[in-house]
Amino acid sequence: MFIDTHCHVEEDKISKEEYIRHAQEAGVSCCVVSFCDPKELSKVEELVSVSDSYYVTVGIHPEYAMDVQESDFSLLEKMLEKKKVVAIGEIGLDYYWDKNHKEEQKDVFRRQMVLAEKWKLPVVIHTREAMNDTYEILKEFPQVHGIMHCFSGSYEMACHFLSLGYLLGIGGVLTFKNSKLGEVVQQLPLSSFVLETDSPYLAPEPVRGTMNESKNIPYIAEKLANWKGVSIEEVAKVTSKNAIEMFDLPIDL
Ligand SMILES: [Zn+2]
């Protein structure tokens, strides 16, 4: 059994029912869907009611930091009470998207870290061209743990995040030809990782370039198994256990 710890379901391209059916056929029995656009937070309940296999994370992505309203924070906090909301995310810093509003991004990020502390929830971290600033902010909240979503940094950065109690979300990037991530994961124990697709983006090889779905998780697992020199079953078992513990999912392995 696999768990996709990070995906987005684009309902104009595929129905929620079909998406989960494809995933289950591929052995992916749980999909954690990321809701990080304040305008979409209200769709959470509708999605989780479709299937027991859907869980969600809710948060305000750094790309919305400039336009965020106080009402967005109140709605977010209201959503945290809901069943099947397992983390705050994805939240963080994205200087690739916008270099000119770093302070606004940091402010929105910190406010959500405070919420994670208050609600005792893990966080899912998005960081792009902002690894050091992200690390500095995470250090301010030693009580909070979570997942470094779509991790693609160095071995040293991986160790920094692991020592703060974060897991590394490993996705399609691991399967790409020029990726350096393989050499990084090879040096770390399986207990450091969870699997994710970040669908509909970043489809792994050999389906790169198509619309990604949770059903593609086995391609990523297979690559991780190769790098680690273990069976795909071992990858499934350990990464699912990691996800279940991090998100406190009511799932038996
Ligand atoms: Zn995402």
Side-chain angles (χ1 to χ4, degrees), residues 6 8 34 90 149 198:
H6 191 115
H8 305 264
S34 169
E90 57 199 280
H149 150 57
D198 202 18

Side-chain angles (χ1 to χ4, degrees), residues 1-244:
M1 176 197 74
F2 296 105
I3 296 179
D4 184 355
T5 60
H6 191 115
C7 59
H8 305 264
V9 182
E10 295 215 317
E11 285 178 59
D12 48 338
K13 304 207 178 76
I14 185 166
S15 74
K16 304 183 274 284
E17 291 81 4
E18 199 180 352
Y19 188 97
I20 204 76
R21 186 169 53 75
H22 289 174
Q24 283 167 346
E25 282 166 6
V28 182
S29 44
C30 173
C31 300
V32 182
V33 183
S34 169
F35 282 86
C36 52
D37 174 347
K39 288 188 290 295
E40 298 209 314
L41 289 181
S42 51
K43 291 190 188 166
V44 164
E45 277 178 291
E46 197 190 306
L47 178 111
V48 294
S49 67
V50 168
S51 163
D52 287 347
S53 305
Y54 278 125
Y55 290 85
V56 293
T57 68
V58 295
I60 299 166
H61 191 284
E63 92 181 60
Y64 305 107
M66 274 306 292
D67 316 305
V68 73
Q69 313 283 322
E70 270 319 301
S71 57
D72 295 327
F73 283 104
S74 352
L75 177 60
L76 172 63
E77 197 158 4
K78 223 189 258 161
M79 298 315 293
L80 297 180
E81 292 173 28
K82 305 278 182 200
K83 254 187 15 203
K84 298 178 85 177
V85 171
V86 294
I88 301 182
E90 57 199 280
I91 61 174
L93 302 173
D94 193 327
Y95 298 164
Y96 175 83
W97 176 264
D98 184 357
K99 285 179 186 49
N100 302 319
H101 300 96
K102 294 182 177 177
E103 290 314 309
E104 289 88 344
Q105 288 193 27
K106 286 180 186 175
D107 181 52
V108 171
F109 183 19
R110 279 200 182 90
R111 282 189 66 174
Q112 295 179 94
M113 289 299 287
V114 169
L115 285 179
E117 211 164 34
K118 174 177 164 192
W119 286 82
K120 296 191 171 43
L121 280 168
V123 288
V124 176
I125 303 297
H126 171 104
T127 178
R128 200 163 176 204
E129 295 188 6
M131 196 90 86
N132 288 325
D133 283 3
T134 303
Y135 178 58
E136 290 306 317
I137 290 177
L138 295 183
K139 271 201 298 193
E140 294 168 19
F141 299 88
Q143 244 68 279
V144 181
H145 306 301
I147 292 171
M148 300 308 295
H149 150 57
C150 199
F151 181 78
S152 59
S154 65
Y155 174 73
E156 288 68 31
M157 283 316 294
C159 293
H160 285 324
F161 291 122
L162 288 167
S163 69
L164 286 182
Y166 286 77
L167 297 174
L168 311 177
I170 303 297
V173 172
L174 183 66
T175 69
F176 297 169
K177 255 205 188 83
N178 298 322
S179 167
K180 304 242 184 308
L181 190 57
E183 282 117 59
V184 176
V185 301
Q186 196 174 32
Q187 300 174 68
L188 296 165
L190 270 187
S191 58
S192 320
F193 310 122
V194 289
L195 302 175
E196 60 166 62
T197 56
D198 202 18
S199 73
Y201 319 104
L202 292 172
E205 293 289 358
V207 291
R208 194 172 178 182
T210 64
M211 182 181 82
N212 201 4
E213 290 183 46
S214 295
K215 69 174 181 189
N216 292 327
I217 279 284
Y219 294 123
I220 300 161
E222 194 180 355
K223 196 75 183 177
L224 184 56
N226 288 344
W227 276 108
K228 292 301 299 166
V230 299
S231 66
I232 191 164
E233 290 78 17
E234 181 70 6
V235 167
K237 195 176 86 190
V238 178
T239 57
S240 295
K241 178 173 171 280
N242 295 343
I244 289 168

